[in-house]
């Protein structure tokens, strides 16, 4: 039996998760450090990431993953 589990979060749930990680959104919807709101978080590729692009956060770290195919493929190879 090949069942896959898929979790989908809406924007408010994503914001709650960011809150637990001491992050928040800036005025443009980019994820930033709560204590240093001018410091945006980065993806594996060193890119800034918005809440719309958030596909996941690597366990045990603060590596943010975009929800596009290339980013997800790169993540799966790590």
């Amino acid at each position: 039996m090949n069942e896959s589990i898929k979790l989908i979060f809406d924007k408010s749930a994503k914001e709650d998760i960011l809150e637990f990680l001491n992050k928040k959104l800036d005025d443009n919807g980019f994820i930033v450090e709560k204590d240093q709101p001018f410091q945006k978080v980065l993806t594996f590729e060193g890119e800034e990431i918005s809440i719309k692009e958030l596909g996941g956060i690597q366990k045990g770290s603060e590596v943010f993953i975009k929800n596009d195919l290339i980013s997800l493929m790169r993540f799966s190879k790590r």
Side-chain angles (χ1 to χ4, degrees), residues 7-58:
L7 298 175
I8 300 174
F9 296 100
D10 66 9
K11 184 180 176 188
S12 66
K14 288 181 181 181
E15 289 181 36
D16 289 340
I17 292 167
L18 293 176
E19 179 73 25
F20 292 126
L21 297 172
N22 206 31
K23 308 291 183 256
K24 67 178 191 172
L25 300 178
D26 69 8
D27 293 337
N28 296 315
F30 283 92
I31 303 168
V32 297
E33 298 291 337
K34 193 179 215 180
D35 298 335
Q36 298 176 7
F38 295 105
Q39 182 179 347
K40 294 179 181 162
V41 301
L42 302 176
T43 65
F44 284 130
E45 296 81 21
E47 299 174 334
E48 299 168 347
I49 184 168
S50 72
I51 192 74
K52 290 179 185 177
E53 299 171 306
L54 182 61
I57 303 167
Q58 185 176 0

